[in-house]
Amino acid sequence: MYTPLEESIHLGGKVIFLPRTASTNSELQKFAQGGNLANGTVLITDEQYAGRGQAGNQWMSQSGVNLTFSIYLSDAGEVNAQFQLNIFITLGILDFLKKSGLPAKVKWPNDILIHGKKICGILIENSIGGNRITHSIVGIGLNVNQQSDLPQGATSMAQLTGSALSLQKSFHDLLRSLESRYVQWKSGKTSPLKEEWLSSLYLKGEPHIFTVAGKPLPGTISGIDETGRLTVVTQDGTQVFGFKEITF
Ligand code: BTN
């Protein structure tokens, strides 16, 4: 059972709790299609049995030990600014982790890593009308107390700190962090947000061998372009990559 964030102005003032559901993103989408959903409504579950990740992957999370929830955002900005939505969400999660003593990095486009291991995944699904995102479902899976059977390359807050956390308190603290970044994003001052996001970008400025079309590509991440594509400086100049076009 999770309660709403009492002092919330934008996010988490309304919370729908389902003990068990296939995917909080899919379930919240159904509520959104039903209409009259308040901006910032959150749907959260204890047991997500068909969690979805990026690019058709599954999101596995033990029941009752982690946070798996989705946030409904009405009118989430212009279509060509969709990466800014990703930036504000990511920064909110990074703020929460930092306050919990766990500074993290963001691996482009939006995996959250600590010591190179994934602690949080984000799945943002936008509905488009004209040039606007008419609504967005922002799904967040954060490994909080899971200690065993973590997927390879994953970690959790408890594994890193050595102690279990209250899921209810973590949920509220995370919503508070997201809310402050939401306010910044809505104020339209997006360039400082982008700068902060870039300062937490995993491998930025560090030479690395990437994989592109199955072949190694030595280069150095320099940032992102205006639409959020990754820019990499290579011996042939700066190259730009969309999601799935480069792996590392
Ligand atoms: C990824 O890293 O691939 C994204 C994972 C996103 C998982 C969250 S858990 C809550 C929400 N509901 C889903 O089905 N997926 C997202």
Side-chain angles (χ1 to χ4, degrees):
M1 185 67 193
Y2 291 88
T3 57
L5 185 63
E6 295 283 327
E7 79 269 25
S8 155
I9 298 170
H10 303 285
L11 307 181
K14 176 148 194 277
V15 171
I16 303 164
F17 170 69
L18 299 176
R20 190 172 188 268
T21 192
S23 153
T24 57
N25 266 38
S26 307
E27 199 58 36
L28 191 54
Q29 194 70 264
K30 286 187 212 156
F31 277 90
Q33 277 152 11
N36 289 328
L37 205 53
N39 181 46
T41 297
V42 173
L43 190 145
I44 183 163
T45 189
D46 263 343
E47 185 180 346
Q48 182 171 250
Y49 57 87
R52 296 189 288 110
Q54 290 175 37
N57 292 327
Q58 282 185 312
W59 180 257
M60 310 292 282
S61 179
Q62 256 173 21
S63 54
V65 295
N66 295 323
L67 289 176
T68 43
F69 66 97
S70 304
I71 309 172
Y72 170 81
L73 297 178
S74 57
D75 189 14
E78 284 191 15
V79 171
N80 59 13
Q82 32 189 312
F83 204 75
Q84 286 167 13
L85 168 60
N86 178 36
I87 286 179
F88 107 71
I89 293 291
T90 304
L91 284 175
I93 298 168
L94 293 184
D95 291 345
F96 162 74
L97 288 169
K98 198 169 174 189
K99 282 186 196 148
S100 311
L102 295 169
K105 291 267 179 193
V106 52
K107 181 178 174 193
W108 179 88
N110 59 10
D111 285 347
I112 298 187
L113 307 184
I114 297 184
H115 307 313
K117 289 190 165 184
K118 186 158 166 175
I119 193 159
C120 182
I122 305 168
L123 179 65
I124 300 179
E125 296 181 301
N126 293 324
S127 298
I128 312 289
N131 71 341
R132 298 209 66 86
I133 304 170
T134 49
H135 78 255
S136 182
I137 305 283
V138 177
I140 297 175
L142 174 66
N143 296 333
V144 181
N145 288 326
Q146 187 165 342
Q147 296 269 22
S148 59
D149 299 326
L150 280 158
Q152 207 185 356
T155 190
S156 69
M157 295 178 75
Q159 196 170 66
L160 292 164
T161 61
S163 47
L165 288 111
S166 152
L167 287 176
Q168 172 68 65
K169 182 176 182 310
S170 301
F171 175 55
H172 278 184
D173 288 347
L174 177 51
L175 284 175
R176 285 187 191 99
S177 295
L178 289 166
E179 168 120 338
S180 354
R181 293 299 187 170
Y182 175 91
V183 170
Q184 257 185 307
W185 170 64
K186 276 286 170 182
S187 75
K189 295 185 193 112
T190 49
S191 90
L193 286 174
K194 182 178 169 189
E195 288 312 311
E196 273 195 72
W197 183 90
L198 284 172
S199 70
S200 295
L201 187 57
Y202 176 68
L203 287 182
K204 180 169 177 281
E206 295 173 37
H208 187 77
I209 312 280
F210 299 88
T211 303
V212 174
K215 296 199 184 109
L217 176 76
T220 306
I221 294 174
S222 55
I224 50 171
D225 71 4
E226 59 293 337
T227 60
R229 292 180 305 164
L230 192 72
T231 53
V232 179
V233 179
T234 71
Q235 61 184 13
D236 299 324
T238 298
Q239 298 188 34
V240 182
F241 299 98
F243 185 49
K244 285 292 195 185
E245 290 173 357
I246 183 166
T247 52
F248 51 102

